[in-house]
Amino acid sequence: MASTETTTPAEDAGGRAGGDAGDLAGLEAGLDALETRQSGRTPFRQTFTQKILPPAVAVLLVLAVWQALVSFEIVDDPSKLPAPSDVWAVVQDAWLQGELLGYIWTSVSRGLLGFCLALVIGTPLGLLVARVKLVRAAIGPILSGLQSLPSVAWVPPAVIWLGLNNSMMYAVILLGAVPSIANGLVSGVDQISPLFLRAGRTLGATGLKGTWHIVLPAALPGYVAGLKQGWAFSWRSLMAAEIIASFPDLGVGLGQLLENGRNASDMAMVFEAILLILVVGIAIDLIIFSPLERWVLRSRGLLVKS
């Protein structure tokens, strides 16, 4: 006669609980496996082919087209389009005379200091506009309008108000960069899920504490985008100010170098200034803003480390 085993309700519940725990453990292990990333360093060959070679090829292609326009006399007037070798000779001459770094430092120091000042002003302004409805209604459209206003438009009034000095340069930078930084932060705050804000209030993160621990971290993607755009506006504003408001006491920056080349009808110097402005802008982006942007995206799981 076959014997039958009986189980109590408590044993059935325990068995089900054990099975559920095992399923959850398996699911967790599977998710961990999906999130596993390679911790080793990226091979140099992969870095070279993916990040170094493409821009290098693009630069060489531009130089080849430029040289072809000169060599085949498609543009046969050297005063309009000098050869790449002529521009390089001007750059090399400025380096040997010890002037090249001076041009770059004059503009970069102004640009970075002006951007830092814009950061100090634009961040609290953006938070105020994002969090206070009355302030947004009053100032929001003005910020959007200022952001679309060309930076060069501020140079004449800044010269009249402040004169030909560094204060005028910084004023133009602030007027160009602050709206972009503030609007970027406003955009980032608008994209925060209301659940984050309610959870923060539930945990006691209100007022300045909530702003520091909840709002700013959650708004980082939009804020970083605003910072990146703010730097672009700072750099362009500075170049416009240096080109228009030239004065010996201000020193020779890259914008002034460009204007000097125009006044002398020296296209090699003009191209030298243009290339230096471009190189500095790209270098600042690669050194500061691109790593910051990647860090923000990676911290949110939006960018997988290769």
Side-chain angles (χ1 to χ4, degrees), residues 131 189-205 214-215 218:
R131 304 294 290 166
V189 172
D190 288 344
Q191 296 174 21
I192 299 176
S193 171
L195 292 175
F196 289 170
L197 302 178
R198 287 200 293 268
R201 287 194 295 268
T202 301
L203 296 173
I214 304 296
V215 176

Side-chain angles (χ1 to χ4, degrees), residues 117-130:
L117 293 174
L119 182 63
V120 171
I121 297 174
T123 299
L125 180 61
L127 286 173
L128 191 64
V129 172

Side-chain angles (χ1 to χ4, degrees), residues 60 72 102 107 123 151 154 178 187 208 218 223 246 250 262 297:
L60 291 176
F72 294 105
S107 294
T123 299
S151 306
W154 289 114
V178 167
S187 177
L208 292 177
Y223 184 42
S246 58
L250 293 175
R262 186 193 70 85
L297 293 176

Side-chain angles (χ1 to χ4, degrees), residues 16-302:
R16 286 195 300 270
D20 291 343
D23 292 341
L24 289 175
L27 178 60
E28 184 178 356
L31 292 175
D32 289 341
L34 288 175
E35 293 180 353
T36 302
R37 295 177 173 85
Q38 296 180 354
S39 58
R41 298 183 61 181
T42 304
F44 175 76
R45 182 177 180 181
Q46 181 179 350
T47 302
F48 178 78
T49 55
Q50 293 181 358
K51 298 182 179 180
I52 300 176
L53 187 59
V57 171
V59 170
L60 291 176
L61 182 61
V62 170
L63 291 176
V65 173
W66 182 0
Q67 184 62 50
L69 291 175
V70 176
S71 299
F72 294 105
E73 297 184 351
I74 299 175
V75 180
D76 56 356
D77 188 354
S79 65
K80 294 182 179 179
L81 184 64
S85 58
D86 295 335
V87 177
W88 174 250
V90 174
V91 174
Q92 190 175 25
D93 184 61
W95 171 264
L96 294 176
Q97 293 181 8
E99 297 175 345
L100 187 63
L101 293 180
Y103 299 151
I104 296 173
W105 175 246
T106 299
S107 294
V108 170
S109 60
R110 285 175 181 160
L112 291 178
L113 180 56
F115 176 76
C116 291
L117 293 174
L119 182 63
V120 171
I121 297 174
T123 299
L125 180 61
L127 286 173
L128 191 64
V129 172
R131 304 294 290 166
V132 181
K133 293 183 179 179
L134 182 61
V135 176
R136 172 176 288 202
I139 301 179
I142 298 176
L143 286 177
S144 298
L146 290 175
Q147 188 174 0
S148 62
L149 185 68
S151 306
V152 69
W154 289 114
V155 179
V159 172
I160 295 173
W161 293 335
L162 302 172
L164 291 170
N165 50 46
N166 282 320
S167 298
M168 177 274 299
M169 299 282 186
Y170 297 133
V172 173
I173 293 173
L174 290 176
L175 291 168
V178 167
S180 295
I181 295 174
N183 282 330
L185 184 53
V186 170
S187 177
V189 172
D190 288 344
Q191 296 174 21
I192 299 176
S193 171
L195 292 175
F196 289 170
L197 302 178
R198 287 200 293 268
R201 287 194 295 268
T202 301
L203 296 173
T206 58
L208 292 177
K209 186 184 295 185
T211 299
W212 181 255
H213 293 286
I214 304 296
V215 176
L216 279 177
L220 266 181
Y223 184 42
V224 171
L227 294 181
K228 193 172 182 178
Q229 190 177 46
W231 163 252
F233 275 84
S234 296
W235 191 237
R236 287 190 293 177
S237 301
L238 177 61
M239 292 302 104
E242 289 185 351
I243 290 171
I244 296 177
S246 58
F247 192 65
D249 292 345
L250 293 175
V252 180
L254 297 177
Q256 180 61 53
L257 179 65
L258 181 62
E259 181 64 10
N260 290 344
R262 186 193 70 85
N263 291 332
S265 297
D266 187 347
M267 283 302 296
M269 184 182 295
V270 169
F271 272 88
E272 174 196 16
I274 292 174
L275 292 175
L276 290 176
I277 292 170
L278 181 63
V279 167
V280 170
I282 293 174
I284 294 295
D285 180 74
L286 292 177
I287 294 172
I288 299 177
F289 295 104
S290 291
L292 179 61
E293 193 173 31
R294 287 196 300 270
W295 174 78
V296 171
L297 293 176
R298 188 177 293 121
S299 66
R300 281 156 174 73
L302 301 176

Side-chain angles (χ1 to χ4, degrees), residues 7-17:
T7 58
T8 64
E11 291 174 340
D12 290 339
R16 286 195 300 270

